Amino acid sequence: MPQDTPLLVWIPERQTFLDETLRLEGRGTPESLCCCGLFAPHFRCRDCFGTEMFCHECVLCNHTRNPLHRIDMWNNSFFQSTSLKKLGLRVQLGHTPGESAQIRYKQLLRTRWYPATTSDPRTAAMFALLEHFHLMSFESKISAYEFYHSLARRNNNAGLSDIRDRYSAFMRMVHEWRHIRQLRRAGRGHDPDGINATTAGELAVQCPACPHPGKNLPRGWEDEPPSVRWKYALFIVIDANFRLKCKAVSSENVDPSLNAGWGYFVEEAAYKAYLADQAGVKQDRSTCVSHNAVNMADTKSSYGLAATGVGTVDCARHDMKLANGVGDLQKGEKYINMDYLVFSALLAFTVTMINISYDIACQWHKKLWTRMEGMPSRLHIPHHSMTFHLKAHIDECQRNFSFNWTKHVGRMDGEAPERGWSNINRVAMSMKEMGPGSRRDTLDDHFGDWNWKKITALGRTLLRKIGDAIKWKKEHREALRELERTILPTLILQWKSEVESWEHDSSQRNPFESRFAPITQAAVRLQLAELEARELQAGTNVSLHTDISPTRLITSDNQKTAIQTRITSLQRRIDAWARIQELYIPIVSQLLLRPDTFKLWLPSELEPTATCDERLATHEWELRHAQALDALNEVRSHLRLRSHMYIYKDRNVRGQATSTRAQALIDGVELRKQHHVEKYRRARKALLALSHRLDKSGWEICLPQLSDSDVRPMGDMERQGTGTISWIWLDSRTDNSSSENERVQDCVRVEWCKARARVNRWSEEVELLLEEMRRVIEFLKWQAGWWSGRASARVMESTAEQEGVTAYACRQAALRLSLIASFQHLWRDVPRHVIAALNIPMDSDNDPPTIDARPQLHNDL
């Protein structure tokens, strides 16, 4: 169909398009008259609608209200650029009849021209131009330099005429424009006390889905039982971005911040004073693996930089920056920086439970309250019930801190900042060259726009999330039921009691840990050696050789690996001699013996019918079993390390040389991982051969075949519970003191605990999303009422000013009401879908899930 391939349809018509664009280079109809009847008009406007020609007087008359339009003049050969100023147009600002004369910059503002200075302004920019650049900087991340020079080329693309340099003035106007727009959005123009009464963080765009007491939480929420109050918890995530550097190119005196702590950045003077006071405090080194952010904080390069990056505190569930939750990092991700930002952000909230996600939480939370005591008293907060989370570190940290196993947190992933960084990182290069005040205010503005876009998208975002949550809750619930059909009810009751005890008191034994110590090859060798020593003392040793015991014979497999280097060296010498020998005796090349063809002939390498000492085969079985477990541990370790290195590379590594070095390190990890994959496969192959000789069975449950698709990061933790976990993360890590049934049962117990946790997290996610939908509606209602009240909060001197202040407040209130109507329409079917997924009859006496009100749903939702 032609409508499906419009480009192919256009191709035959491109000559016509080309001809028409060339036609516009001329006058169109040379004999046309001016609108006043004058013959042969010479002027045409490039920005007005149409291509009508005008005489000198008419073009000036028509542009008294559009004095900045671009004019072309016909010189009898082609159109050449001119200007209305050259043609004699003058703009008279003045004042309307009945009004007193205004100061010059006010006259410009009232014509929607923004003055570059307040004293005798000679340069101005149209409001439309500033609005256009403002939106372009948000959407395309264009810099002021690029935009300014694009304007210059639009008027003179050949560079043949001089254009006055107004770049500095434009930068100053943009800085002021951003600040004024933030003040407007926050209602500071409606406060009787004026701008100077603005409080810390007041210019920030608040997340309506987060809990705000007095705005979107029900009365008496703090008195609810824990089984209900958990839904009113605040979820925050802490992170740092080392792309948002700032060069030491200016100072606070030359380029001050206009926001001064009113937005997302903390107030700089108090922040720097605290850091200076804590400069002598030595930071504890991390005891957890791969914590470069902590251990290398003091060594991060800061030459020529005023800031090496920024630290942020975000709303974890809705990806929004929190007020006073952003600050510059002078030298890496230090605790003193992050502590200050966290407690500054938390001052705006009075909730009784806070869930914190931080990729170094296992170290950062240590001595947190002790460090708080050394901070300014205004930052001291009560010791709330805080939950910590991290990922991509050692097993113990994952089991103790993972949100996947933590009660009352839903399906929070803790990766909110990473999505936000992808948006803001595109301005990193232009921000690096800015002065300190301009940079912080510009980032404040970008963070505000990010938050606002998130708010307008909440209708679709929460709808998509609850659809996914209902789906995964149902699937994981069915999977848990299938698993429980294979388990004795008494065991389920016992395991459930253990899990609930741990959820209530984390000092109890962690049910997600295996009850058996991991087996290693070294441990098995030690056990076999101790067994032979006891047999020797008891006089029952049956070794067939006085120097080489069965254990030493089997472990010679490792000796083969150790001498491989020497074999390689020898092989090179043999190959060199063979090439010379073949010149004289060609047939000898067929008789050469190669060292690498020599076999040790362990029991696993023999045919099943070949005679072999059973004790020797048993020893190899134990060592091969431990070797397989060892290899699996190494595979898991290298997978985690590789994931961490990729994250670190994406966040911190820039430039071809450093990227190449980082990739080389990652490739090295990949090679070592693949080596251990092959090691596992060889060990399993040996176990398979030995199992026939020793009549072993059941071992394949814990050591199945390892395919390439199985070698992947932990599915549930990495992909938010929406995918299956590779079996390599579910091993039972057994020891020789337990029977095979106990080992399998322990593996099933751990998997049941995880399956139960997945069902609970998705169930909690559904409840949280319903509560967040309700909170969004309530917050927007509160905000609409707040703006309605601001309409008459300030009494202005003139009727015109009063009307403008009132109109803005009414427009903002109407916008919130429109968002409410849009969200309620999008969410109208959500309760029905939730009820259907929960299998609740429509006429049930149980209260149905709610969004807009407690406990009943509004009829218009």
Side-chain angles (χ1 to χ4, degrees), residues 608-632:
T609 57
T611 303
C612 175
D613 189 323
E614 186 173 341
R615 179 184 175 87
L616 200 63
T618 303
H619 277 31
E620 184 182 2
W621 170 271
E622 297 294 341
L623 283 167
R624 291 292 190 182
H625 190 269
Q627 185 184 49
L629 292 177
D630 263 2
L632 272 183

Side-chain angles (χ1 to χ4, degrees), residues 13 208 216 229 237 253 283 317 330 341 379 431 471-472 526 534 581 604 614 618 653 657 697 776 845:
E13 307 297 331
N216 62 1
R229 197 170 65 246
V237 58
N253 293 330
Q283 178 164 297
R317 290 187 56 81
Q330 290 69 38
L341 301 181
L379 297 180
M431 295 287 182
K471 168 192 171 185
W472 288 110
L526 179 60
R534 289 195 298 269
Q581 195 175 36
S604 59
E614 186 173 341
T618 303
V653 176
S697 62
V776 168
D845 293 334

Side-chain angles (χ1 to χ4, degrees), residues 715-828:
D716 187 66
M717 292 188 67
E718 299 292 332
R719 296 191 289 170
Q720 309 312 308
T722 59
T724 58
I725 307 175
S726 173
W727 67 263
I728 67 174
W729 303 99
L730 303 175
D731 73 295
S732 59
R733 303 192 303 170
T734 58
D735 62 21
N736 284 340
S737 63
S738 304
S739 68
E740 195 68 31
N741 287 337
E742 289 175 323
R743 300 170 188 172
V744 174
Q745 186 180 104
D746 184 68
C747 185
V748 173
R749 179 190 61 79
V750 172
E751 178 55 26
W752 178 87
C753 290
K754 293 180 178 181
R756 175 185 178 273
R758 288 191 286 271
V759 173
N760 288 346
R761 296 301 81 78
W762 282 114
S763 299
E764 293 164 359
E765 181 70 6
V766 173
E767 291 188 63
L768 271 177
L769 288 168
L770 289 171
E771 168 62 17
E772 287 169 350
M773 288 177 170
R774 185 199 65 80
R775 286 203 296 251
V776 168
I777 300 298
E778 292 301 319
F779 184 89
L780 291 174
K781 287 180 179 179
W782 170 85
Q783 208 169 42
W786 183 85
W787 273 111
S788 296
R790 303 300 275 182
S792 57
R794 183 183 175 194
V795 179
M796 307 299 291
E797 294 181 357
S798 69
T799 303
E801 290 175 339
Q802 189 68 56
E803 183 179 74
V805 168
T806 302
Y808 184 82
C810 292
R811 181 161 66 88
Q812 295 300 318
L815 175 59
R816 270 66 184 181
L817 294 176
S818 297
L819 286 174
I820 291 172
S822 173
F823 293 168
Q824 287 181 331
H825 178 73
L826 285 171
W827 300 338
R828 63 190 182 279

Side-chain angles (χ1 to χ4, degrees), residues 392-684:
H393 297 303
I394 60 178
D395 287 338
E396 181 181 357
C397 292
Q398 291 174 343
R399 291 191 298 269
N400 292 333
F401 292 92
S402 173
F403 274 168
N404 293 294
W405 323 136
T406 304
K407 189 178 182 180
H408 291 160
V409 296
R411 287 302 314 172
M412 193 184 85
D413 61 356
E415 293 297 327
E418 303 304 325
R419 292 182 281 272
W421 293 146
S422 64
N423 174 70
I424 197 65
N425 281 343
R426 291 184 290 163
V427 302
M429 292 304 296
S430 59
M431 295 287 182
K432 186 189 297 185
E433 304 291 340
M434 287 185 176
S438 297
R439 171 177 166 274
R440 291 197 298 273
D441 291 350
T442 302
L443 284 174
D444 268 351
D445 199 29
H446 277 274
F447 292 151
D449 178 69
W450 172 262
N451 282 12
W452 176 247
K453 288 195 290 188
K454 285 290 181 179
I455 290 173
T456 58
L458 276 175
R460 298 183 299 275
T461 301
L462 294 183
L463 181 64
R464 173 182 54 79
K465 284 186 174 182
I466 200 165
D468 291 342
I470 292 171
K471 168 192 171 185
W472 288 110
K473 174 186 175 180
K474 183 176 181 181
E475 290 195 12
H476 283 297
R477 184 175 59 186
E478 291 299 323
L480 178 62
R481 288 174 179 171
E482 288 293 327
L483 179 62
E484 288 182 339
R485 291 191 184 101
T486 66
I487 305 172
L488 292 175
T490 54
L491 286 177
I492 293 177
L493 291 176
Q494 176 187 340
W495 297 344
K496 183 179 179 181
S497 176
E498 293 174 359
V499 173
E500 290 176 347
S501 297
W502 178 78
E503 289 175 340
H504 179 71
D505 180 7
S506 59
S507 65
Q508 299 290 323
R509 190 170 188 177
N510 191 329
F512 297 96
E513 294 179 351
S514 175
R515 300 294 164 82
F516 305 106
I519 290 295
T520 63
Q521 285 179 279
V524 171
R525 291 194 196 101
L526 179 60
Q527 291 174 6
L528 294 176
E530 290 173 345
L531 175 61
E532 290 175 354
R534 289 195 298 269
E535 290 176 345
L536 189 61
Q537 292 176 359
T540 59
N541 186 270
V542 293
S543 297
L544 302 179
H545 193 276
T546 56
D547 296 325
I548 305 297
S549 68
T551 301
R552 289 196 62 187
L553 180 63
I554 295 299
T555 55
S556 61
D557 181 51
N558 291 331
Q559 297 169 9
K560 180 181 178 181
T561 301
I563 65 173
Q564 183 61 50
T565 302
R566 280 175 284 176
I567 291 177
T568 303
S569 177
L570 177 61
Q571 186 63 57
R572 290 195 187 99
R573 297 171 64 184
I574 292 175
D575 290 343
W577 173 253
R579 285 193 293 271
I580 298 173
Q581 195 175 36
E582 286 175 4
L583 297 175
Y584 297 95
I585 313 174
I587 196 171
V588 173
S589 62
Q590 303 177 18
L591 307 175
L592 291 176
L593 296 177
R594 306 186 65 85
D596 56 353
T597 61
F598 180 73
K599 300 185 69 173
L600 293 178
W601 293 111
L602 298 176
S604 59
E605 297 174 313
L606 301 175
E607 292 294 331
T609 57
T611 303
C612 175
D613 189 323
E614 186 173 341
R615 179 184 175 87
L616 200 63
T618 303
H619 277 31
E620 184 182 2
W621 170 271
E622 297 294 341
L623 283 167
R624 291 292 190 182
H625 190 269
Q627 185 184 49
L629 292 177
D630 263 2
L632 272 183
N633 283 331
E634 291 298 328
V635 169
R636 288 191 289 264
S637 177
H638 283 84
L639 282 173
R640 283 193 292 266
L641 181 58
R642 187 188 64 176
S643 297
H644 174 77
M645 292 178 70
Y646 270 122
I647 293 172
Y648 183 82
K649 177 177 178 287
D650 291 342
R651 290 184 185 177
N652 303 304
V653 176
R654 293 293 170 271
Q656 182 175 354
T658 53
S659 295
T660 301
R661 287 194 295 270
Q663 188 59 50
L665 290 174
I666 294 173
D667 292 342
V669 172
E670 178 66 22
L671 286 175
R672 291 194 293 273
K673 181 213 73 178
Q674 194 60 35
H675 166 74
H676 290 291
V677 168
E678 296 301 326
K679 183 178 179 180
Y680 172 86
R681 289 170 177 168
R682 290 194 301 270
R684 189 181 186 279

